[in-house]
Amino acid sequence: MEQLKQKIRNEGIVLSDRVLKVDAFLNHQIDPVLMQQIGQEFARRFRDEKITKIVTIEASGIAPAIMAGLELGVPVIFARKHQSLTLTDHLLTASVYSFTKQVESTIAISTNHLSPNDRVLVIDDFLANGKAAKGLISIIQQAGASIAGLGIVIEKSFQAGRQELEEAGFRVESLARVAALSDGQVVFVE
Ligand code: G4P
Ligand code: NA
Ligand code: NA
């Protein structure tokens, strides 16, 4: 997606050879016009999949997910990372290990919002090692729902996430694929 790649070139900051900072438009400040275009692009790619729900994870997945949900006309569920005062329903949970933070955490979605009739599109802001995505997939499968695929805003193709998800049989659609972060420059997959 050319507008997204341009935005990454102009406003992304290469923090190291593994980490790209995009706080200017995705992870802290959010560009609503770009998010709308991202939602339209996800909708275009998954239009024929009979999606009934979108599932993402708080916090940074919510903005692109909600724009895709608006385009596809379906509800958006975000998995919670922390306990909630009001989320007292029966929960489906998964354990997610973060390599970057080196901590294991539990993510949760209420059983009330997913059923075996649902066909789910998973959306997230980043795909690195794919641990978050696999946690979401586990929760969706526990609910008996089917998974149409994953829509990722920025994929770090030099990490294992995409390959592992594809080997597990999932369709992965990434709007920007980063081949390398070197000498402060973002190199995209051709
Ligand atoms: P994994 O899920 O693929 O295994 O990734 P990892 O544990 O390494 O990532 C933990 C968090 O860091 C996730 O956000 C993920 O989106 C984010 N992340 C991973 N690599 C990058 C990167 O190069 N740049 C940026 N900006 N983020 C990256 P999170 O902690 O869940 O945060 P948030 O959703 O609240 O923003
Ligand atoms: Na993130
Ligand atoms: Na995320």
Side-chain angles (χ1 to χ4, degrees):
M1 182 181 165
E2 200 46 49
Q3 302 103 307
L4 173 62
K5 286 160 79 174
Q6 205 53 50
K7 194 79 167 178
I8 293 169
R9 282 189 202 99
N10 293 341
E11 297 183 28
I13 297 169
V14 176
L15 285 188
S16 69
D17 61 5
R18 305 188 79 76
V19 179
L20 172 66
K21 178 169 172 162
V22 288
D23 279 15
F25 59 92
L26 181 58
N27 289 145
H28 194 25
Q29 175 171 261
I30 295 172
D31 181 336
V33 174
L34 180 67
M35 287 309 128
Q36 187 174 39
Q37 294 166 339
I38 284 169
Q40 288 165 348
E41 181 62 20
F42 283 137
R44 190 182 70 74
R45 296 188 191 201
F46 287 96
R47 186 78 71 191
D48 299 330
E49 285 286 346
K50 298 188 166 66
I51 307 293
T52 64
K53 293 274 168 78
I54 290 174
V55 166
T56 187
I57 180 166
E58 63 175 340
S60 299
I62 295 175
I66 204 156
M67 290 304 189
L70 186 64
E71 283 297 320
L72 290 170
V74 299
V76 177
I77 306 165
F78 64 95
R80 289 187 174 266
K81 293 176 182 164
H82 307 284
Q83 286 195 328
S84 150
L85 178 66
T86 56
L87 186 58
T88 53
D89 312 324
H90 186 63
L91 297 177
L92 302 167
T93 64
S95 185
V96 174
Y97 179 75
S98 170
F99 286 103
T100 36
K101 295 173 185 162
Q102 302 206 329
V103 289
E104 190 99 24
S105 62
T106 300
I107 63 172
I109 292 179
S110 163
T111 53
N112 288 348
H113 305 299
L114 280 176
S115 84
N117 297 326
D118 281 316
R119 183 151 176 81
V120 177
L121 170 60
V122 176
I123 298 246
D124 209 355
D125 57 337
F126 268 88
L127 177 60
N129 293 296
K131 300 295 181 196
K134 285 182 182 169
L136 294 174
I137 287 168
S138 164
I139 287 176
I140 295 160
Q141 289 176 335
Q142 288 171 51
S146 66
I147 297 167
L150 296 96
I152 302 296
V153 181
I154 303 174
E155 169 191 311
K156 293 192 291 183
S157 308
F158 55 87
Q159 293 183 264
R162 185 200 183 89
Q163 193 185 335
E164 289 183 12
L165 291 167
E166 284 188 335
E167 281 170 6
F170 296 104
R171 174 181 173 195
V172 179
E173 292 284 342
S174 305
L175 304 190
R177 301 185 65 198
V178 175
L181 300 168
S182 54
D183 302 325
Q185 298 296 308
V186 181
V187 182
F188 292 103
V189 174
E190 282 319 309

